[in-house]
Amino acid sequence: MVTLSAGVVDAASLRLTFVLFLSVVVITLFTALLTAPQRDEIGEFYLGNRSMSPLRNGLAMCGDYVSAATLLGSTGLVALTGYDGLMYLVGTTVAWMAVLLLIAEPLHRAGRFTLGDTVALRMPRQQRPVRLALALCTVVIAVLYLVAQLVGSVALLTQFTGEPGATTRTLCVVVIGTIVIMYASLGGMPGATVIQVIKAVMLVVGVTVTAALVLHRYGWNPNALLTAAADHSGESTRFLQPGLRYGGSAASKLDFFSLQLAIVLGLAALPHVLMRLLAPRSVGVLRSSVVWAVGLVGLICLGAGVLGLGATAVVGRDTIAGTDRTGNASVLLLAHSLGGGLLTALLSCLAFVTLLAVAAGLTLAAASSLAHDVYGELRRGRVSQAEELTVARLAAVVIGVLGMLLALVSWGANTATLAFLAFAIAASAILPTLVYTLFWRRFSARGALLSLGGGLLCSVLLVVFSPVVSSRPDSFYPHADFAWFPLQNPGLVSIPVGFLLGWLGTVLNPPEQQDRAAYQDFEVRMLVGAEE
C-alpha cells in the first residue's frame, strides 16, 4: 500500500485525469447500456456477443487478464529490482501460454457458462457438491482480487493527494465500486466486454507510446537504456543481474520460485479469465483470439519492462524508492519527466480504467457462479431464465458491496499480497480440479471436493502463518510473531497439495460406474466439440 505525505503529481494533472476518466466512464457506461442484454436470456448475459471477431475477443481477453498491478506494480518492481522484476513480467506472459497450450480448447468444448457446467457434464450424478465448492472458491478468489483492485484505487489516488483521509478513501472506493456494479449488473458480459476492449486498446497504445518515448530518449539503443538504468540504480551492474530482490538467501530464492509458480498457474485459472474463454462461438475463433491475446499481453509486458528501466534511468532508483517504497509511483514519475502533466494524466486515467475493467470482470464471474451454480443448483433446475438473470444481477450488487466493505476495512493492506493470495488459491484449488476433470478418466467427485477444499484451506492457512501477517515491519501485525511458514507466497506448497488431494480422494473413492460411462461422452465432446 502506498503511503505518501504529499502527492506525486500536481493539481492540474489531477483535474485533467478526472476529466479524462469521467469521459471514459460516461462513454463506456452508455455503450454498455446500449449493448446490454435486451431479453431474459442467461446466455447473452453470461457470454455476451458470441459473434465477435478474434481481434475483439483477444482484446477483451487481454483486458480481463492485465490488471493495474502490471502497469504500476510490475513496472515499479522492474524500476527497483532490475533483473528480478523483469523475470516477474516473464511469468505474467508465460501464464497465457499455459492457457493456450493446456486448457483453452478443451474447456471451451466441454463448458457452457461456468466451470460448474463442465463438472456437471463430467460427473452428472455427483455434480451438486462440486458445483457448490467451485462456487465458493470462485467467490473467494473474485472477492480477494476485487478488494485488491479497490484498495489499489486508493493507492493510485494517493499519488495525487498524498495520504487520503477516511472520507476521501470511502468516497473513492464507493464511487469505483458503484461504477463496477453498474457494469456487471446492468451490462452483463456485453457491458464488461465494452470496457475491456476500450481498456485494452488504451493500455496497448499508452504503454507502447510511452515506451517509444523512453527508447527515443536513448537513441533507440537498448544497451544505452540498460547502461543508464544501471548507472542510476545505485547498484551498478548488479541491477542487471539476478538476486537484487530474491537472491539474498535460499528462502528468498524459494519465495521467488513460489511466486512465479502461483502467477503462471494462478493467472491461468482465474475465474473471470476462464469465463472469457467460453465466450467465442467456435473453437477456431477461440484459437485465434487466444493468439491475439498472447501477442497483446506480451507487448504490454515488454513495454512495462521498458517503462521500469526507463523510470530508473530517467528518474533514478533512489528518487523512486524515496517517493514510494513499493515503486507504484515510478510510471507517473517517468511520465511527468517525459511528457509533463498531459502524459501523467493519460497514464493515470489508464490506471483507473484498468482497475475498473478488471473489477467488473471479477464481479461478473462471481455473480454468474452464484446465480448459475448455487441458486440454479439449489432450485434443482426449476428456475426460469428470467429468474436466474434477476438473481445474477442481484448477486453482482451483493459482491460489489461486499468488496467495497472489505476494501474499506483493509485499506492499509498490500494490494500485491491480496492479488497473489487470489492467484495461489486459483492455482491450488481450481486448476487441479480443472486439469483432472478434463484429462483424468478416473477422477471422482470426492477428489474434486478434496482438491477444492484442501487447496483453498492450505493457501489461506499458509498465508496466515507467513511473514505477510506477522514478524516483519511491513506485516499486518508487525509486533507479533507467529510466522512459522517462511515464504510470503504459499504456491510452492499449496499447489502440489491441491493436486495431491485430488489424486488421493479419487484413489480412496473411485467414481461410480455411471460417472465412468459419462466420461466417454464427455471426452468425445471435449475432443470434437458441440458447436452452438
Side-chain angles (χ1 to χ4, degrees):
M1 175 66 190
V2 182
T3 53
L4 305 178
S5 57
V8 172
V9 293
D10 52 34
S13 295
L14 176 60
R15 289 192 293 270
L16 183 56
T17 300
F18 177 76
V19 171
L20 291 173
F21 177 68
L22 185 62
S23 300
V24 172
V25 168
V26 170
I27 292 172
T28 53
L29 269 178
F30 181 71
T31 308
L33 291 176
L34 287 179
T35 58
Q38 303 300 317
R39 299 166 295 178
D40 293 331
E41 292 186 4
I42 57 175
E44 189 176 359
F45 183 84
Y46 292 150
L47 302 181
N49 180 10
R50 306 196 68 192
S51 60
M52 289 197 308
S53 67
L55 175 57
R56 289 179 62 190
N57 272 310
L59 286 168
M61 290 177 184
C62 175
D64 265 321
Y65 184 75
V66 179
S67 70
T70 303
L71 180 63
L72 300 178
S74 300
T75 305
L77 195 59
V78 173
L80 295 180
T81 64
Y83 181 92
D84 286 357
L86 291 173
M87 290 300 100
Y88 174 88
L89 282 172
V90 170
T92 303
T93 306
V94 169
W96 253 119
M97 300 303 294
V99 174
L100 173 65
L101 297 176
L102 185 63
I103 60 176
E105 292 186 25
L107 176 64
H108 182 274
R109 292 191 179 105
R112 190 184 177 203
F113 299 137
T114 65
L115 292 178
D117 291 329
T118 303
V119 172
L121 285 173
R122 177 69 168 79
M123 307 167 186
R125 285 180 58 84
Q126 304 181 59
Q127 61 171 292
R128 187 176 189 181
V130 182
R131 269 187 186 267
L132 297 179
L134 265 172
L136 173 63
C137 291
T138 297
V139 170
V140 170
I141 294 166
V143 169
L144 278 173
Y145 209 8
L146 176 60
V147 171
Q149 303 305 309
L150 295 177
V151 172
S153 69
V154 179
L156 184 57
L157 182 65
T158 303
Q159 311 293 349
F160 294 94
T161 64
E163 182 64 35
T167 303
T168 304
R169 290 197 305 269
T170 303
L171 183 62
C172 179
V173 169
V174 169
V175 169
I176 297 294
T178 302
I179 297 173
V180 167
I181 290 174
M182 293 177 67
Y183 279 121
S185 62
L186 299 179
M189 180 63 85
T193 300
V194 168
I195 188 173
Q196 298 294 7
V197 171
I198 292 176
K199 166 248 184 131
V201 172
M202 292 176 61
L203 193 60
V204 170
V205 173
V207 170
T208 302
V209 169
T210 310
L213 291 175
V214 171
L215 292 173
H216 177 72
R217 186 184 182 100
Y218 292 97
W220 298 94
N221 186 347
N223 287 332
L225 172 61
L226 291 171
T227 300
D231 291 341
H232 291 84
S233 67
E235 299 287 343
S236 187
T237 56
R238 186 166 175 260
F239 183 74
L240 304 178
Q241 298 173 355
L244 193 60
R245 177 182 175 90
Y246 294 106
S249 64
S252 180
K253 294 177 181 178
L254 285 175
D255 209 5
F256 177 68
F257 179 70
S258 182
L259 175 62
Q260 288 288 62
L261 195 64
I263 291 173
V264 171
L265 299 181
L267 283 173
L270 289 176
H272 65 299
V273 174
L274 296 176
M275 189 174 177
R276 179 67 64 178
L277 296 177
L278 300 173
R281 183 172 298 278
S282 69
V283 171
V285 173
L286 171 68
R287 189 180 300 122
S288 300
S289 301
V290 174
V291 171
W292 270 109
V294 169
L296 293 169
V297 170
L299 177 62
I300 291 171
C301 290
L302 177 62
V306 173
L307 295 186
L309 294 172
T312 305
V314 175
V315 180
R317 182 169 176 261
D318 291 339
T319 301
I320 295 171
T323 305
D324 174 8
R325 60 182 176 80
T326 67
N328 285 342
S330 60
V331 171
L332 302 185
L333 292 170
L334 173 64
H336 198 266
S337 298
L338 294 177
L342 177 60
L343 185 59
T344 305
L346 289 172
L347 291 183
S348 301
C349 173
L350 176 57
F352 273 117
V353 173
T354 300
L355 287 165
L356 199 63
V358 173
L362 290 164
T363 304
L364 179 62
S368 301
S369 187
L370 285 176
H372 191 65
D373 293 327
V374 177
Y375 184 78
E377 187 61 32
L378 293 178
R379 289 293 306 274
R380 294 185 179 274
R382 297 190 304 271
V383 55
S384 66
Q385 292 199 39
E387 184 180 355
E388 184 174 329
L389 186 58
T390 300
V391 173
R393 295 185 192 277
L394 292 176
V397 176
V398 171
I399 293 295
V401 171
L402 178 62
M404 286 188 281
L405 293 175
L406 291 177
L408 291 174
V409 171
S410 59
W411 74 270
N414 188 296
T415 56
T417 299
L418 296 173
F420 293 155
L421 176 57
F423 298 162
I425 294 174
S428 306
I430 291 183
L431 186 67
T433 303
L434 181 60
V435 171
Y436 282 146
T437 297
L438 293 175
F439 303 114
W440 190 17
R441 178 183 297 272
R442 294 183 55 203
F443 191 48
S444 68
R446 182 61 59 88
L449 291 173
L450 280 180
S451 184
L452 290 166
L456 172 63
L457 188 62
C458 181
S459 301
V460 173
L461 286 179
L462 290 181
V463 168
V464 168
F465 294 105
S466 75
V468 169
V469 176
S470 67
S471 79
R472 290 187 180 181
D474 57 347
S475 301
F476 287 114
Y477 301 103
H479 303 296
D481 187 2
F482 47 87
W484 54 263
F485 183 67
L487 307 181
Q488 297 192 59
N489 189 281
L492 187 62
V493 175
S494 62
I495 295 173
V497 166
F499 278 96
L500 178 62
L501 288 175
W503 172 83
L504 183 63
T506 300
V507 171
L508 296 178
N509 293 272
E512 297 181 6
Q513 184 61 36
Q514 186 171 346
D515 284 339
R516 288 176 180 266
Y519 181 78
Q520 297 179 4
D521 295 334
F522 177 85
E523 188 176 32
V524 171
R525 179 179 178 123
M526 182 181 68
L527 296 177
V528 179
E531 304 293 357
E532 300 177 6

